[in-house]
Amino acid sequence: MLIDSNVDEVFAESKRGPAIKILGAVLAMALTALVFVGYTYLRNKHAQDTARTAASQIVQVEPKGPPQALIVIDDAMVQGAKTVLGGTVKNT
């Protein structure tokens, strides 16, 4: 650039109006809102599916009655590749 060149040519402004910037901002906000709404919808759908699955898997536990044996395990012994538990068993 020469010293005697026109400075206006270096800092030339866009000939487009502010409408392009406003349109871009509006489209960016619309896209952000669309992503947020989609995320919220999928999150709620997943929560409902999970709750429905968990509700169907609840098992009613009935009392089984008094115990029929008392088992006391004293120690564990390793015999080759097997582990044998030692202790006492008493019928009640």
Side-chain angles (χ1 to χ4, degrees):
M1 173 166 54
L2 299 173
I3 294 175
D4 62 346
S5 67
N6 192 354
V7 177
D8 292 335
E9 293 176 7
V10 176
F11 299 107
E13 293 186 20
S14 174
K15 294 187 183 345
R16 298 179 194 164
I20 296 294
K21 290 181 182 178
I22 293 172
L23 179 65
V26 168
L27 289 176
M29 293 297 289
L31 182 64
T32 301
L34 183 66
V35 168
F36 179 72
V37 168
Y39 169 75
T40 305
Y41 171 75
L42 289 177
R43 184 175 175 202
N44 288 337
K45 183 179 176 188
H46 175 71
Q48 289 173 354
D49 291 344
T50 304
R52 188 179 313 120
T53 303
S56 67
Q57 291 180 352
I58 294 176
V59 177
Q60 298 295 334
V61 178
E62 298 176 5
K64 300 196 181 210
Q68 297 179 358
L70 174 65
I71 302 171
V72 180
I73 299 174
D74 295 334
D75 57 13
M77 299 173 283
V78 178
Q79 294 178 349
K82 297 180 182 179
T83 302
V84 178
L85 299 175
T88 57
V89 177
K90 180 191 270 188
N91 290 332
T92 55

